[in-house]
Amino acid sequence: MFGTLNTFLSGVARAWAVNDGVNLASFVSLKDKHIMNRNLYVEMPENAVSRILEAPIDEIVCAHIKVLYYLSLEPRDFLLAYRHQSQCVQSVVKMLQQLKEENWCLPIMYTVCLDLRILAQKCEELGSGSKPGEILERAADCLMSCFRVCAADNRSSDSETKRLGMLNLVNQLFKVYFRINKLHLCKPLIRAIDSSAFKDTFPLPEQITYKYFVGRKAMFDSDYKSADDFLSFALKHCPKNFPHNKRLILIYLVPVKMLLGYMPKKYILECYDILQFHELSEALKEGNVRKFDDVIQRHEYFFIKCGIYLLVEKLKFIVYRNLFKRVYLIKQTHQLDLNAFRSALRFVGEKDMTIDETHCIIANLIFEGKIKGYISHSHNKLVVSKQNPFPALNTVS
């Protein structure tokens, strides 16, 4: 089924001779079927490679074959495989620098960079580094070397420029930075893409991934309207045959929408198996603090695992806002005794709520624009606006 090492190298040489970047990418991919070829498991392939291949592709293929060798051992040596994959990426950087005003080689860069990130993640899972995140951080440095070469290619024509490869690398870097929790390193990458002439013409799958991560970052920065825009773009354009990806987007988009006052439809949540948010939205609509706390407690693992626990906790002020709006609708007056709010809070589960804590909650709601009014401490009353005292959440968040 599989040929000899020389047959493999001859195939690489033919693809290199005709500038076939896609075919070359498959020759150096760890997902291609050739990785099952035992004839390629060679620890020292330099002599064989140098006889058939020329620079700079020879170093790339040589490093790739060494990666295959270390992954063929029992047990597999992921750390040494990662190190040789790093050398493979560094050789690709040299190739990018040598092939001026040409971008047919970008698929090779995409492939080796993706494999580097995956190997780095595997090493992290096995605890191969001296401290958590160390190997992924070094992998990000390798990816940045490729990014710098692409970003600096200003002299080539629009069709031949390596800048077309920037977004693919940015998405790879995002995946690393989110995993090692260094989101501040995303800022210069976002600036580079936003100022790029190609930002609206990059391949749609790359744009979807980019908007997903930028939306998540905006969410962590409490810029919920931007997060809504980015994540909504990602959801709208994500193909229907990728339900797992749609679910990932919705896990972040739904709580953002809820903070902006838009409650999710139950059938959508059922489709993507995220009914935890339906229970939350029911508690929000009712202004039921006890029910809200119960949902948070029961689904705590899910919210923490998805990294949205603190975001979901922020919804509690909407629960308070909706509860207090009910008090206002019952009392039908714009001068409301604060003890009425404390009684309402105690009724829905906040048994130990003091009047000072009630003041504090209402003051925060006024500050956030969720209630239009002021507290009269001398009369222990909340005086609300006669016009629209509880503005729609999508106008204030």
Side-chain angles (χ1 to χ4, degrees):
M1 178 181 175
F2 294 114
T4 64
L5 175 59
N6 282 350
T7 304
F8 174 79
L9 296 174
S10 297
V12 174
R14 285 193 297 273
W16 177 259
V18 295
N19 297 348
D20 187 349
V22 173
N23 201 10
L24 281 167
S26 69
F27 278 114
V28 293
S29 170
L30 295 180
K31 294 182 179 178
D32 189 74
K33 61 184 180 182
H34 76 265
I35 65 168
M36 304 300 292
N37 186 351
R38 293 181 175 277
N39 296 324
L40 305 184
Y41 302 163
V42 181
E43 185 178 8
M44 306 287 285
E46 287 84 356
N47 290 337
V49 170
S50 62
R51 281 198 301 268
I52 297 176
L53 299 180
E54 62 183 37
I57 192 65
D58 59 341
E59 290 185 10
I60 297 169
V61 172
C62 196
H64 174 67
I65 291 172
K66 289 181 180 181
V67 172
L68 296 184
Y69 170 76
Y70 287 107
L71 290 179
S72 71
L73 300 177
E74 285 294 339
R76 289 185 284 181
D77 194 331
F78 284 102
L79 186 58
L80 277 175
Y82 159 77
R83 287 174 182 167
H84 286 289
Q85 188 67 26
S86 296
Q87 290 177 5
C88 188
V89 173
Q90 288 160 8
S91 298
V92 166
V93 172
K94 290 181 189 176
M95 177 188 69
L96 294 171
Q97 292 169 332
Q98 289 178 31
L99 298 177
K100 299 185 185 300
E101 300 185 20
E102 298 177 69
N103 67 3
W104 60 265
C105 53
L106 287 178
I108 305 171
M109 179 189 76
Y110 300 154
T111 299
V112 299
C113 287
L114 171 62
D115 287 340
L116 177 69
R117 179 178 64 80
I118 292 171
L119 280 173
Q121 285 176 197
K122 187 65 180 177
C123 290
E124 290 286 354
E125 289 168 11
L126 296 172
S128 303
S130 58
K131 58 182 180 180
E134 180 187 37
I135 294 174
L136 274 169
E137 204 164 339
R138 289 207 303 263
D141 291 339
C142 282
L143 299 180
M144 275 302 298
S145 299
C146 289
F147 178 79
R148 291 188 193 100
V149 175
C150 292
D153 187 21
N154 294 317
R155 296 183 181 179
S156 305
S157 65
D158 285 356
S159 61
E160 297 294 333
T161 182
K162 295 181 183 70
R163 284 180 292 162
L164 292 170
M166 288 169 60
L167 190 57
N168 183 286
L169 289 170
V170 165
N171 288 337
Q172 294 292 341
L173 286 161
F174 279 169
K175 289 174 183 178
V176 173
Y177 293 150
F178 271 77
R179 189 172 280 264
I180 63 176
N181 199 27
K182 294 204 171 183
L183 302 193
H184 64 283
L185 297 174
C186 297
K187 284 185 179 179
L189 300 176
I190 293 170
R191 282 198 300 269
I193 296 301
D194 287 348
S195 62
S196 170
F198 306 102
K199 70 175 183 178
D200 296 320
T201 56
F202 285 114
L204 186 58
E206 293 180 8
Q207 288 191 52
I208 292 168
T209 303
Y210 175 75
K211 298 283 188 182
Y212 166 72
F213 282 108
V214 174
R216 283 181 63 187
K217 184 175 187 310
M219 180 191 79
F220 290 127
D221 292 340
S222 300
D223 184 358
Y224 302 122
K225 288 186 177 176
S226 294
D228 181 18
D229 290 342
F230 294 134
L231 291 168
S232 294
F233 176 97
L235 183 67
K236 179 182 176 182
H237 294 93
C238 183
K240 290 180 180 178
N241 56 329
F242 289 95
H244 174 71
N245 291 359
K246 279 185 171 286
R247 182 177 186 269
L248 285 177
I249 297 166
L250 281 167
I251 283 171
Y252 300 100
L253 180 58
V254 169
V256 166
K257 286 280 193 187
M258 290 169 78
L259 278 164
L260 295 173
Y262 302 100
M263 296 300 122
K265 298 283 193 298
K266 184 178 180 180
Y267 75 90
I268 294 176
L269 302 179
E270 279 180 327
C271 283
Y272 294 99
D273 190 27
I274 44 174
L275 278 171
Q276 297 91 335
F277 294 114
H278 174 68
E279 296 177 55
L280 271 183
S281 68
E282 290 297 301
L284 258 66
K285 290 173 192 173
E286 296 169 15
N288 191 326
V289 181
R290 185 193 294 112
K291 188 174 180 178
F292 179 85
D293 288 341
D294 179 55
V295 174
I296 292 280
Q297 188 174 3
R298 279 189 291 111
H299 301 298
E300 183 180 51
Y301 176 76
F302 170 78
F303 295 133
I304 292 173
K305 183 184 174 186
C306 296
I308 56 172
Y309 183 83
L310 295 178
L311 182 72
V312 170
E313 273 284 326
K314 290 184 179 182
L315 291 168
K316 193 163 188 174
F317 272 95
I318 298 178
V319 183
Y320 289 139
R321 177 255 186 204
N322 291 346
L323 175 65
F324 294 165
K325 184 178 180 181
R326 288 188 168 214
V327 173
Y328 164 75
L329 292 172
I330 292 168
K331 294 288 187 180
Q332 288 294 313
T333 175
H334 69 284
Q335 294 185 1
L336 297 150
D337 193 319
L338 288 169
N339 285 311
F341 294 115
R342 183 177 62 167
S343 297
L345 286 166
R346 287 181 169 178
F347 179 75
V348 293
E350 301 279 13
K351 298 293 185 186
D352 300 322
M353 185 66 63
T354 66
I355 194 66
D356 287 337
E357 288 169 329
T358 306
H359 278 226
C360 186
I361 291 169
I362 292 173
N364 273 296
L365 290 169
I366 293 170
F367 174 74
E368 292 178 1
K370 291 181 173 66
I371 295 177
K372 288 166 69 176
Y374 64 90
I375 296 173
S376 171
H377 290 283
S378 58
H379 296 94
N380 197 40
K381 289 184 183 293
L382 169 65
V383 182
V384 296
S385 170
K386 291 182 179 179
Q387 292 184 333
N388 196 21
F390 291 85
L393 290 168
N394 58 9
T395 64
V396 297
S397 295

